Amino acid sequence: MRVRSVPVGVRHLRDGPVYNVLRRVAPEREKSPPSEAPQGEHGGPGDCLQQRRWRRHPPTPPTIPHVLTLTEQVSSSSTGSSNSNSGAGSAPSKKSSNFPTFNFWSSSPSSSSSTSPPLPAHPCQLPPLGSSQSMRDRAKSIPLRLSFEQRKTLHLVQATLTACDYTARVDRHFKSLPHREQAQLKQITGVLQALVLSEDYAKGRALVEEQDYERHALFFQRCFEVARRHKIMNPEKMRGAYGKLSYLLQDALSPALRRHLHVHVVGRLQTVYALLEEKDGLRLLDDPLIHTATQEILPDKRKSRAQIQQEIKRKERAIETFVRAYTTPCLEAEDIRLCLYSICDNNSFLNSNRLPIDKMIAYLLQYFSSSKVEPGYSLSILQGQAGARLTHSHERQFNFALQSLTLWREITDDMFRFWCLAEEDLLSSQGPPYTLRDTGQGLHRVQHCPRTYHAMQDLLHKTQRRVGSWVGSSVIHLGDHNVPNALMFIDKYTQVGREGGRKG
């Protein structure tokens, strides 16, 4: 089953004036003035040769303003607003003089920030690049990287789910509930038998004859746990297969079907925290060197090849330092490397999915102001024009775009924890059962999600305190006709980074 839900407000920002203006303004304001633009072999900067050069050497990435508290912003706005950035002989820039410069890939402001004009007094705070949580909290929801043998198991599960059409066979109208349970049991046993047959033909044949699924419980748990772990680490993968897998496991845990299967097919997710806790190595997560050992080395045109190689060697030395310092008879060197590489995978996820949102926030704060409207760059929308369904002034639309991007950023930053909570809500045998209901977009499984809902409620309140004001409704749609269950919630917000990366 492939879910295509879109977060609330995505259409207004993706197709509305905010994205269109940012897409047009940002490249223009990052380029040099026309008098200083390099010339191609055949004249102006618009020829094909110059376009190819600019594609190979794109403009400098956007800058994020320095993180100031609201008190600092207000005090700085009243004392130091007379600085000037214009140099002798330099062409006037269209860039607003109300925003400071800040290195986007650094956690501290640039050296020129002390002479830069102050930020406008806005309570929105942007943390530096990297997750704002402690490493211990992050490790509880970071899955372990798959080994070679586990990847073979993953391919087996993917092939089995590809040949299965579970949701189409089960999530439809039946004459009675027993008829649907019979169809569920037939599809689930077919998948379980196919997994065992593909792994070992003799065991699979015995399973078909004896119908003893409890004997292979550990094998089923291992297969499905590997697929779930792979999906959390790679949200863009298994977009159709994961929905079938989640609903299949959800039905297999129902009391009506467990009476016939006599097997528990859902195992505990293997995380970095669980492995270190089992082998008495949690103190590893408190070492400040772990940030160097797990950072992702990103290509940067401002760095030379020697500098990048130096960062790579520094990371490798940090990993070896961890191995020498924390290896014990219980915690082996390969276990330490596996945990460090898994945390690095999480950092890579943040850079790939949260970075586009950070860029959009940086563009919005750098080139626009909620109180000042430059001619031709108004963000206001009018209902019925250009696909807009609301009427917002420039200030209201600016705040709406900022609050939406900030909320999406916080959710993406905590996506692995949300995914674990969503699976707990979906695959809990003690949780509330779902009801198959027509939501206006077909039959969906509507189910209450208490863990995901409370986590989302806390994050929403945190975002509201950071932004300071809120435009529109703050109702969390989860377990209703808009967002039927936790799977729809997760899929909805994993699209934000993908859309931002494709549009950015």
Side-chain angles (χ1 to χ4, degrees):
M1 183 193 68
R2 185 163 182 166
V3 184
R4 297 181 180 272
S5 58
V6 179
V8 177
V10 168
R11 295 188 180 92
H12 298 303
L13 294 179
R14 185 183 60 188
D15 302 327
V18 175
Y19 171 73
N20 293 331
V21 172
L22 289 178
R23 181 178 59 180
R24 184 178 73 253
V25 171
E28 293 178 358
R29 298 187 177 184
E30 292 293 340
K31 295 178 184 177
S32 301
S35 59
E36 300 178 0
Q39 300 294 319
E41 295 181 357
H42 303 288
D47 58 24
C48 297
L49 177 62
Q50 190 62 47
Q51 291 177 1
R52 290 196 297 271
R53 288 180 179 175
W54 284 2
R55 282 196 295 268
R56 290 196 299 268
H57 305 285
T60 306
T63 57
I64 284 185
H66 173 41
V67 180
L68 297 176
T69 62
L70 181 58
T71 305
E72 293 172 340
Q73 293 175 9
V74 175
S75 61
S76 61
S77 298
S78 60
T79 58
S81 60
S82 59
N83 295 331
S84 175
N85 293 330
S86 59
S90 61
S93 173
K94 292 180 64 179
K95 186 174 179 178
S96 175
S97 62
N98 293 329
F99 302 95
T101 58
F102 185 83
N103 186 354
F104 185 75
W105 282 271
S106 173
S107 59
S108 60
S110 61
S111 58
S112 61
S113 61
S114 58
T115 59
S116 301
L119 273 173
H122 199 286
C124 181
Q125 307 281 326
L126 283 179
L129 191 64
S131 179
S132 58
Q133 306 176 40
S134 66
M135 191 58 70
R136 277 188 178 244
D137 293 335
R138 289 178 58 193
K140 293 179 181 180
S141 55
I142 296 179
L144 291 174
R145 177 184 286 188
L146 300 185
S147 64
F148 178 75
E149 292 297 326
Q150 290 172 341
R151 292 189 180 276
K152 293 170 59 177
T153 303
L154 173 66
H155 295 160
L156 172 62
V157 177
Q158 286 179 322
T160 304
L161 293 175
T162 301
C164 170
D165 200 7
Y166 183 79
T167 52
R169 300 293 185 112
V170 169
D171 290 350
R172 59 185 181 86
H173 293 289
F174 285 88
K175 294 181 179 180
S176 62
L177 183 59
H179 283 82
R180 185 169 186 266
E181 292 178 355
Q182 182 180 7
Q184 290 173 328
L185 187 62
K186 180 179 179 181
Q187 294 295 321
I188 293 174
T189 55
V191 171
L192 300 181
Q193 292 171 6
L195 288 173
V196 179
L197 276 168
S198 301
E199 181 71 13
D200 190 313
Y201 179 78
K203 293 182 180 179
R205 182 176 179 179
L207 176 63
V208 173
E209 294 176 352
E210 300 173 4
Q211 298 292 312
D212 186 7
Y213 296 97
E214 188 176 3
R215 181 186 302 177
H216 305 278
L218 293 179
F219 172 73
F220 295 141
Q221 293 176 11
R222 184 172 68 253
C223 288
F224 295 138
E225 188 274 336
V226 166
R228 291 161 51 207
R229 197 173 356 140
H230 175 73
K231 175 61 179 178
I232 295 176
M233 299 175 67
N234 305 273
E236 73 280 0
K237 304 291 183 65
M238 298 177 61
R239 287 190 51 77
Y242 182 76
K244 292 186 285 187
L245 174 62
S246 299
Y247 288 166
L248 184 146
L249 296 179
Q250 188 180 37
D251 291 338
L253 293 175
S254 63
L257 296 185
R258 288 193 64 179
R259 290 196 299 266
H260 301 282
L261 293 173
H262 303 289
V263 61
H264 189 77
V265 295
V266 178
R268 181 184 178 186
L269 198 69
Q270 297 183 21
T271 62
V272 173
Y273 189 91
L275 177 62
L276 294 177
E277 184 181 30
E278 178 185 355
K279 300 192 175 185
D280 194 22
L282 287 177
R283 65 186 186 281
L284 178 150
L285 299 173
D286 300 327
D287 195 320
L289 190 61
I290 195 171
H291 298 286
T292 303
T294 59
Q295 67 175 341
E296 184 185 20
I297 309 300
L298 296 173
D300 192 343
K301 295 185 179 299
R302 296 168 296 180
K303 299 179 183 178
S304 64
R305 184 62 186 173
Q307 290 176 316
I308 296 178
Q309 288 294 337
Q310 185 179 6
E311 292 181 357
I312 295 175
K313 291 181 181 179
R314 188 186 302 118
K315 177 180 178 180
E316 293 174 350
R317 288 196 299 267
I319 293 176
E320 295 305 319
T321 301
F322 269 97
V323 171
R324 290 193 301 269
Y326 294 99
T327 299
T328 63
C330 183
L331 184 62
E332 300 178 355
E334 289 304 317
D335 295 331
I336 297 176
R337 290 191 177 92
L338 176 61
C339 292
L340 295 178
Y341 293 153
S342 301
I343 297 175
C344 186
D345 292 340
N346 177 250
N347 290 332
S348 177
F349 168 84
L350 293 178
N351 289 331
S352 300
N353 293 268
R354 204 191 62 193
L355 199 60
I357 308 175
D358 286 331
K359 288 183 178 181
M360 291 289 288
I361 296 176
Y363 280 135
L364 186 64
L365 295 177
Q366 187 176 6
Y367 296 128
F368 294 91
S369 172
S370 60
S371 58
K372 180 180 178 181
V373 183
E374 297 183 18
Y377 299 109
S378 174
L379 302 179
S380 60
I381 59 176
L382 186 63
Q383 182 179 5
Q385 294 186 5
R389 301 176 60 186
L390 300 170
T391 299
H392 281 178
S393 63
H394 172 87
E395 179 181 2
R396 188 174 180 84
Q397 184 66 7
F398 175 91
N399 292 327
F400 173 73
L402 182 60
Q403 76 180 30
S404 299
L405 292 171
T406 305
L407 179 63
W408 299 344
R409 184 195 188 280
E410 295 300 322
I411 294 175
T412 305
D413 183 75
D414 210 9
M415 179 56 70
F416 279 24
R417 184 173 72 95
F418 273 106
W419 210 301
C420 294
L421 294 175
E423 282 204 338
E424 291 180 13
D425 285 329
L426 280 170
L427 307 180
S428 175
S429 56
Q430 287 81 25
Y434 69 87
T435 57
L436 197 62
R437 193 182 306 167
D438 189 354
T439 63
Q441 299 179 354
L443 289 176
H444 284 277
R445 302 188 178 198
V446 181
Q447 181 188 32
H448 292 294
C449 315
R451 300 175 182 86
T452 310
Y453 180 85
H454 291 311
M456 183 61 190
Q457 194 174 39
D458 294 340
L459 191 142
L460 177 62
H461 293 163
K462 172 185 174 183
T463 305
Q464 288 176 333
R465 290 193 300 268
R466 172 173 295 174
V467 175
S469 61
W470 197 259
V471 178
S473 174
S474 59
V475 176
I476 300 174
H477 291 284
L478 189 57
D480 54 15
H481 282 60
N482 295 314
V483 185
N485 53 55
L487 176 62
M488 300 293 181
F489 171 85
I490 286 295
D491 185 82
K492 178 174 71 170
Y493 283 103
T494 53
Q495 296 184 37
V496 174
R498 183 168 58 253
E499 291 290 334
R502 184 166 55 191
K503 297 286 186 178

